[in-house]
Amino acid sequence: VFNYVLEKNIDSAVFIGSYPNIGHWIFNHLLKIAFLNEEQKNLKFLVSDNNIPKRYLDFFNLLGFKNEIIFLQKSVLYNIDNIILPMMPWHSSASGFVSFCPNVIHYLRKFTIKNKNIEDTNIYISRKRALRRNLLNEAELVNYLKEKNFQIIFLEDLTLDRQIEIGNQAKNVICPWGASSNFLFFMNENKIGRAH
C-alpha cells in the first residue's frame, strides 16, 4: 500500500540517490556517473532529498554535468517511463575486503588533479566539529602540528574548488579517519601515499 499526496510523471532519468556523508555520497552515488554511456549522460538525474548538503551538488559541475536534477521527495509517487539504475562502484565482502570497479577512482581524479602545483603545504583536517569519532586530545595535537608548520583546515568551511586547490598543493595531509579521508583524491598522484 502506497500513500502519496502528489503524483509526477518523468520520461527518462538516471537514479543517482544521495547521502549526507561526503564519502558515501561520492562512492555510493556520485560515481555511478562513470558507468553511463554518452546518451545516458544527458538524462535527468534523480537525487534523493535526504538532507544532502547542497554543496555536494558542486561535484556535478566538477565532472562537467549540467543535467536537470530532480530531488525525489517524500509522499510523491513518481511514474518514470525509462529509468537507468547504475550499480554502486564498489563491493565489500563479508571479510571486510573492499574492491572498487576498475578506473572509477581514475575517473574522479582526472577532474580533481588540476595542475602540477609546487607541493609545499602541510595540512591537518580537523574533526573538532564532527558529531562522532572526535579526538579527545585534538587541541594538544593541533598545537603540536602548528609548531611543525601545518595549516589547520575545516573542510565544511571550504568550497569544493578550494579543497581541490589545497589538495593539489599538499605535501603532507593528516586527518583522523572519517569523511575527510576523501580529501586524498585531491592530492597529486606522487603524494597520495604520504597521507596519514
Side-chain angles (χ1 to χ4, degrees):
V1 175
F2 294 94
N3 295 314
Y4 58 93
V5 298
L6 186 64
E7 188 171 354
K8 292 186 178 181
N9 298 315
I10 300 172
D11 47 6
S12 296
V14 177
F15 178 75
I16 301 295
S18 73
Y19 201 87
N21 173 286
I22 186 70
H24 292 286
W25 159 244
I26 292 172
F27 295 116
N28 295 8
H29 302 286
L30 176 75
L31 285 180
K32 293 176 182 178
I33 291 174
F35 301 123
L36 301 179
N37 64 33
E38 291 308 311
E39 181 181 345
Q40 294 164 345
K41 287 179 180 178
N42 295 314
L43 297 177
K44 299 167 185 167
F45 289 161
L46 303 176
V47 174
S48 309
D49 188 9
N50 63 348
N51 298 321
I52 180 173
K54 298 303 183 227
R55 68 181 185 275
Y56 290 7
L57 302 180
D58 291 343
F59 277 91
F60 286 127
N61 291 329
L62 173 70
L63 301 178
F65 289 89
K66 309 289 185 186
N67 304 48
E68 179 183 346
I69 296 174
I70 298 172
F71 287 97
L72 301 177
Q73 301 170 334
K74 297 177 182 177
S75 302
V76 177
L77 174 65
Y78 294 91
N79 300 308
I80 304 172
D81 294 335
N82 179 35
I83 187 168
I84 307 297
L85 301 168
M87 65 182 281
M88 288 189 183
W90 63 276
H91 168 75
S92 178
S93 69
S95 60
F97 179 77
V98 175
S99 175
F100 283 92
C101 294
N103 298 323
V104 170
I105 301 301
H106 296 294
Y107 177 82
L108 174 62
R109 284 178 55 74
K110 71 182 180 182
F111 296 98
T112 61
I113 306 304
K114 301 294 187 182
N115 52 51
K116 295 297 180 184
N117 290 324
I118 298 173
E119 297 130 337
D120 60 356
T121 308
N122 297 316
I123 299 295
Y124 172 71
I125 302 173
S126 176
R127 281 189 65 85
K128 183 177 180 180
R129 302 176 193 161
L131 299 176
R132 291 178 287 281
R133 294 194 303 275
N134 301 85
L135 296 180
L136 298 178
N137 64 336
E138 184 165 13
E140 179 184 347
L141 176 62
V142 164
N143 288 336
Y144 173 79
L145 291 175
K146 284 182 178 177
E147 293 175 4
K148 301 297 181 184
N149 200 30
F150 273 77
Q151 294 180 28
I152 315 304
I153 64 171
F154 293 85
L155 294 183
E156 58 268 33
D157 292 343
L158 304 174
T159 65
L160 178 60
D161 286 343
R162 182 65 180 136
Q163 290 182 43
I164 291 171
E165 181 183 5
I166 292 171
N168 282 194
Q169 297 174 352
K171 180 178 181 182
N172 295 290
V173 173
I174 298 175
C175 65
W177 181 252
S180 57
S181 336
N182 299 288
F183 185 82
L184 304 182
F185 296 105
F186 305 152
M187 297 179 69
N188 281 320
E189 192 161 350
N190 60 330
K191 297 297 181 186
I192 248 189
R194 299 186 60 175
H196 307 286

